[in-house]
Amino acid sequence: MTDFGIEDTYVGVMKAVILGIAPSTQLVDLTHGIPPQDIRAGAFALLTSFHYFPYGTVFCCVIDPGVGTVRRPIAVEVATREVGPYYLVCPDNGLMGPLLEHVPANSSVVLDNPTYQLPRPSNTFHGRDLFAPVAAYLSSGLSLTDVGTEISPTSLAHLDWPKPYLRNGIWHGSVVYIDHFGNLLTNIPARLITPPRLDWIVTVEGLEIRGISTTFAQVDSREPVAYIGSSGFLELAVRNGSAKEAWGVEVDQKITATEPTNQRR
Amino acid sequence: MTDFGIEDTYVGVMKAVILGIAPSTQLVDLTHGIPPQDIRAGAFALLTSFHYFPYGTVFCCVIDPGVGTVRRPIAVEVATREVGPYYLVCPDNGLMGPLLEHVPANSSVVLDNPTYQLPRPSNTFHGRDLFAPVAAYLSSGLSLTDVGTEISPTSLAHLDWPKPYLRNGIWHGSVVYIDHFGNLLTNIPARLITPPRLDWIVTVEGLEIRGISTTFAQVDSREPVAYIGSSGFLELAVRNGSAKEAWGVEVDQKITATEPTNQRR
Amino acid sequence: MTDFGIEDTYVGVMKAVILGIAPSTQLVDLTHGIPPQDIRAGAFALLTSFHYFPYGTVFCCVIDPGVGTVRRPIAVEVATREVGPYYLVCPDNGLMGPLLEHVPANSSVVLDNPTYQLPRPSNTFHGRDLFAPVAAYLSSGLSLTDVGTEISPTSLAHLDWPKPYLRNGIWHGSVVYIDHFGNLLTNIPARLITPPRLDWIVTVEGLEIRGISTTFAQVDSREPVAYIGSSGFLELAVRNGSAKEAWGVEVDQKITATEPTNQRR
């Protein structure tokens, strides 16, 4: 996952470096379409995707506005008794912050062993020179402590990540990601709005949406709909249309969800 | 093939699901750039591409405006004595309609066996929860009847697909797809305009193009050209330019092709 | 590498053809985002990327404004005692010109053996019908002379490629590529501006940038910065922003770099 886009050769070159080290790697593009330097969008993309990958997967994630500064390049192993392990190789800038709230870091290292990096690394493309080679070596079976020096998982950067809160019986949240279809993904997890019922009221930018649906099909084409999205969070959309365009909404837009019981008070 | 675009993680997550089931799958992105919910564009893309893939290929195709509604999720085996087999996993919405006119369905199933789907499937992302896992299991060697219950191939959804027709010696067709270069792909197959000769007359939006060329090079740069495209259909283009932009043409634009013999009448 | 974009099925079909011939090929998209028919951008992308790929890599490169004309389809082996071999399969239009200045061609062939091409090749899609199958056969172990007839490497097309020059102690160069972030990549290689020092002066479109930095972090956010880029050439950027947008600059923009010693004269 990167914010490099795919117009340039940056992603292709990272893959070339990986395959030079670990020729039989099975490569998957999670996405390279994270908006430039948008750590929060990257963190959300990672949070909602990682658990669909096979255990043992190495995630090489480069959204790195601080490349060449003091932020640390790191590798982390996350696992619980039931989940993982997964490996993440990335800058220490909070990109994996929300993920770590779900699956804790077992161990983490700062990437300070030049043996497993490209010689003469640049100051502007650590994706190619540090993160790709380390990811390739981990995928080949090396351990974290081969590629760097242990650091405390508690020292890893946090992310200024909006959390939903309950006030006067109303959940207050915000839009944290807008997808290709113009659907709005919020930070309100499904468990807070379960069961989805048609007597919830969701508001966004003055618009009142009645009910949390279980399918798009519960509303007519071009009508607004609130539903529990496939990523496990409350989503707002226009059926067969773009909510982003229809409502002129951007990331960080505030939204509310009022429980049926609260409406009755 | 999907209409998910590649900015989000949807495609990456589908691949993660596939590789969790069938780790050594060779994945190919046919395209994820089908305009959102444009079943006809997806059908044309599939029709003009499938026969270049090795026999045994499983196509996982998700252009699915009806996700979560009553449209059936299906898997189909197509083959003739000379061609295939190919396997298609997709919603039953006509996406494979034009393809089935060329290679018939041997057998088809509705995907109703939860064993070969993700647990607790969402109502909005069957690509990840149904189609990807079924495609992975088929690619691993399971048979259609393992993943679902047989349905009659004659029950598969048709597509409202424009067909060219001959009237007063003139072929009437339409633009069915516009590519990245702005070239216009029509629904007139090569066999109707063979041999390509310079005394054909093609019209589009008031413009008269003289001749069906065999190469772009038969006209000057920036000039209009009609030719038999690489997909096996009549195409209209501006050499080294974009016909879409130059002529302001959209999909469904009517076009005609007049045979040399008819001109003489 | 192509200029086909990824909205259409062209790239997917080329991969299908390759995998039909060489099923275990490890495919990497270098990029398909080269601006349509922009041979120079493709040449720069190839020049700055190829050496990160494992030796033996076959590059299938299709930026081909002359498809269907007399330009030759070719395959070339490049190598020195220290580097390579690499194989390139592409139209003979200068696309590999700058690369050949760094690693010479050992041998080259014109692709005239129909055995290793698709039957009945089209006149408009040699990527699918000629270049992809030849690349697949080379990757399977066939030799250049299997797929074509030897031609002299000295006969290969050159590229009208701007070169930097020194006049009155000032290096004159130009922008040759603009990346996804809006960073400007110039044709001035690192060795001409080594060591990067803060008393160089770089000018672009009336703007004077003081110093060649080693990291972005040497300037404040949103400030202009000149630095030796990860591709090995002088780059100009706006930190955390787009120089292309901020300065309204396009490819071919002239730039200068004045050495510290010359300023003192």
Side-chain angles (χ1 to χ4, degrees):
Chain A
M1 179 177 73
T2 74
D3 63 350
F4 295 165
I6 56 157
E7 289 83 10
D8 306 310
T9 59
Y10 301 132
V11 170
V13 165
M14 284 179 66
K15 293 180 180 173
V17 168
I18 289 169
L19 295 173
I21 294 166
S24 60
T25 306
Q26 178 65 276
L27 293 164
V28 171
D29 299 290
L30 180 50
T31 175
H32 303 290
I34 301 297
Q37 314 197 336
D38 189 339
I39 294 169
R40 275 172 51 185
F44 186 79
L46 195 56
L47 170 67
T48 55
S49 303
F50 77 95
H51 50 290
Y52 289 99
F53 283 80
Y55 297 154
T57 296
V58 180
F59 293 86
C60 183
C61 301
V62 191
I63 291 107
D64 196 8
V67 63
T69 68
V70 294
R71 69 92 189 94
R72 301 179 294 190
I74 55 173
V76 178
E77 179 188 306
V78 302
T80 63
R81 202 172 295 183
E82 294 81 25
V83 175
Y86 292 114
Y87 302 91
L88 298 109
V89 183
C90 61
D92 182 24
N93 58 16
L95 193 51
M96 70 175 78
L99 185 157
L100 293 178
E101 294 175 20
H102 287 72
V103 191
N106 275 347
S107 66
S108 47
V109 296
V110 58
L111 306 178
D112 56 8
N113 187 344
T115 307
Y116 301 110
Q117 302 174 6
L118 293 200
R120 294 178 305 283
S122 69
N123 286 308
T124 53
F125 193 3
H126 287 185
R128 178 192 68 195
D129 301 337
L130 272 76
F131 298 120
V134 166
Y137 282 112
L138 291 181
S139 133
S140 305
L142 264 64
S143 68
L144 287 191
T145 49
D146 290 324
V147 296
T149 300
E150 281 205 75
I151 54 176
S152 166
T154 61
S155 75
L156 298 177
H158 289 271
L159 185 69
D160 178 25
W161 176 253
K163 300 220 161 136
Y165 58 90
L166 186 69
R167 183 180 292 165
N168 298 330
I170 299 174
W171 281 106
H172 291 257
S174 57
V175 173
V176 290
Y177 190 90
I178 301 179
D179 79 6
H180 165 68
F181 294 100
N183 298 339
L184 313 181
L185 285 69
T186 79
N187 61 348
I188 298 186
R191 65 184 154 75
L192 299 184
I193 49 174
T194 297
R197 284 171 41 174
L198 293 182
D199 43 9
W200 281 81
I201 294 178
V202 176
T203 68
V204 54
E205 188 70 341
L207 181 73
E208 197 175 279
I209 304 173
R210 295 199 158 261
I212 296 179
S213 304
T214 51
T215 73
F216 289 129
Q218 288 181 256
V219 305
D220 289 335
S221 191
R222 307 288 160 186
E223 287 296 314
V225 56
Y227 57 98
I228 296 177
S230 61
S231 300
F233 291 86
L234 176 67
E235 294 186 23
L236 312 181
V238 169
R239 189 182 172 197
N240 299 335
S242 164
K244 176 187 162 73
E245 285 182 22
W247 308 338
V249 167
E250 299 291 338
V251 165
D252 280 337
Q253 169 73 41
K254 301 298 176 202
I255 64 117
T256 68
T258 306
E259 292 189 66
T261 51
N262 284 300
Q263 294 169 44
R264 286 188 219 112
R265 277 172 201 167
Chain B
M1 178 177 74
T2 74
D3 63 351
F4 294 166
I6 56 157
E7 290 83 10
D8 306 310
T9 59
Y10 301 131
V11 170
V13 165
M14 286 179 64
K15 293 180 181 174
V17 169
I18 290 169
L19 295 173
I21 294 166
S24 59
T25 306
Q26 179 66 275
L27 294 163
V28 171
D29 298 290
L30 181 49
T31 174
H32 304 289
I34 301 297
Q37 314 196 337
D38 189 338
I39 295 170
R40 275 171 51 184
F44 187 79
L46 195 56
L47 170 66
T48 55
S49 303
F50 77 96
H51 51 288
Y52 290 99
F53 282 80
Y55 295 154
T57 295
V58 180
F59 293 87
C60 182
C61 302
V62 191
I63 291 109
D64 195 8
V67 63
T69 68
V70 294
R71 69 90 189 94
R72 300 180 294 189
I74 55 173
V76 178
E77 180 188 306
V78 302
T80 63
R81 201 173 296 183
E82 293 80 26
V83 175
Y86 292 113
Y87 302 91
L88 298 109
V89 183
C90 61
D92 183 26
N93 59 15
L95 193 51
M96 70 175 78
L99 185 157
L100 293 177
E101 293 176 20
H102 287 73
V103 191
N106 274 346
S107 67
S108 47
V109 297
V110 59
L111 305 178
D112 57 8
N113 187 344
T115 307
Y116 301 111
Q117 302 174 8
L118 294 201
R120 296 178 304 282
S122 69
N123 286 308
T124 52
F125 194 2
H126 286 185
R128 177 192 67 194
D129 301 338
L130 272 75
F131 299 120
V134 166
Y137 282 111
L138 291 181
S139 133
S140 306
L142 264 64
S143 69
L144 287 190
T145 50
D146 290 323
V147 296
T149 300
E150 281 205 76
I151 55 176
S152 166
T154 60
S155 76
L156 299 177
H158 289 271
L159 185 70
D160 179 24
W161 178 253
K163 300 218 164 141
Y165 58 90
L166 186 68
R167 183 180 295 164
N168 298 332
I170 298 174
W171 282 105
H172 292 257
S174 57
V175 173
V176 290
Y177 191 91
I178 301 180
D179 77 9
H180 164 70
F181 295 100
N183 299 338
L184 313 180
L185 285 69
T186 78
N187 62 348
I188 298 186
R191 65 183 155 73
L192 298 185
I193 49 174
T194 298
R197 282 170 43 173
L198 293 182
D199 44 8
W200 280 82
I201 294 178
V202 176
T203 69
V204 53
E205 188 70 339
L207 181 73
E208 197 175 279
I209 303 173
R210 295 201 157 260
I212 295 179
S213 303
T214 51
T215 74
F216 289 130
Q218 287 181 257
V219 305
D220 290 335
S221 192
R222 308 286 161 187
E223 288 295 315
V225 55
Y227 56 100
I228 295 176
S230 60
S231 299
F233 290 86
L234 175 66
E235 294 186 23
L236 312 181
V238 168
R239 188 181 174 197
N240 300 334
S242 164
K244 176 187 164 71
E245 284 182 24
W247 309 336
V249 167
E250 300 291 339
V251 164
D252 279 337
Q253 170 72 44
K254 302 296 175 202
I255 64 118
T256 67
T258 307
E259 292 189 65
T261 49
N262 285 301
Q263 293 169 45
R264 285 190 219 109
R265 278 173 202 169
Chain C
M1 179 176 73
T2 75
D3 63 351
F4 294 165
I6 56 158
E7 290 85 8
D8 306 310
T9 59
Y10 302 132
V11 169
V13 166
M14 285 179 65
K15 292 179 181 175
V17 169
I18 290 170
L19 295 173
I21 293 165
S24 60
T25 306
Q26 178 67 275
L27 293 164
V28 171
D29 298 291
L30 181 50
T31 175
H32 303 289
I34 300 297
Q37 313 196 340
D38 189 339
I39 294 169
R40 274 173 51 185
F44 186 78
L46 195 56
L47 170 66
T48 55
S49 303
F50 77 96
H51 51 289
Y52 289 99
F53 282 80
Y55 298 154
T57 296
V58 180
F59 292 86
C60 181
C61 302
V62 191
I63 291 109
D64 196 8
V67 63
T69 67
V70 294
R71 68 93 189 93
R72 301 180 294 188
I74 55 173
V76 177
E77 179 189 306
V78 302
T80 63
R81 202 173 294 184
E82 293 81 24
V83 175
Y86 291 114
Y87 301 91
L88 297 109
V89 183
C90 61
D92 184 24
N93 60 15
L95 192 51
M96 69 175 79
L99 187 157
L100 293 178
E101 294 176 20
H102 287 72
V103 191
N106 274 348
S107 66
S108 48
V109 296
V110 59
L111 306 177
D112 56 8
N113 186 342
T115 307
Y116 301 110
Q117 302 175 6
L118 294 201
R120 294 175 307 282
S122 69
N123 286 309
T124 53
F125 194 2
H126 286 185
R128 178 192 67 194
D129 302 337
L130 274 73
F131 299 120
V134 166
Y137 282 112
L138 292 181
S139 135
S140 305
L142 263 65
S143 67
L144 288 190
T145 49
D146 290 323
V147 296
T149 300
E150 281 206 76
I151 55 176
S152 167
T154 61
S155 76
L156 299 177
H158 290 271
L159 185 69
D160 178 24
W161 178 252
K163 300 221 163 137
Y165 58 90
L166 187 68
R167 183 179 295 163
N168 298 331
I170 298 173
W171 282 105
H172 292 257
S174 57
V175 173
V176 291
Y177 191 89
I178 300 179
D179 77 9
H180 164 69
F181 294 100
N183 299 338
L184 313 180
L185 285 69
T186 78
N187 62 347
I188 298 187
R191 65 184 156 71
L192 298 184
I193 50 173
T194 298
R197 282 168 45 171
L198 293 183
D199 44 9
W200 280 81
I201 292 177
V202 175
T203 69
V204 54
E205 189 70 340
L207 181 74
E208 196 174 279
I209 303 173
R210 295 200 157 259
I212 295 179
S213 304
T214 51
T215 74
F216 288 130
Q218 288 180 257
V219 304
D220 289 334
S221 192
R222 305 289 162 185
E223 288 294 316
V225 55
Y227 56 99
I228 295 177
S230 61
S231 299
F233 290 86
L234 175 66
E235 294 186 23
L236 312 182
V238 168
R239 188 180 173 198
N240 300 333
S242 165
K244 175 186 164 72
E245 284 182 24
W247 309 337
V249 167
E250 299 290 339
V251 165
D252 279 337
Q253 169 73 42
K254 300 299 176 200
I255 63 119
T256 68
T258 307
E259 292 188 66
T261 50
N262 286 302
Q263 294 169 42
R264 283 189 223 112
R265 276 173 201 166

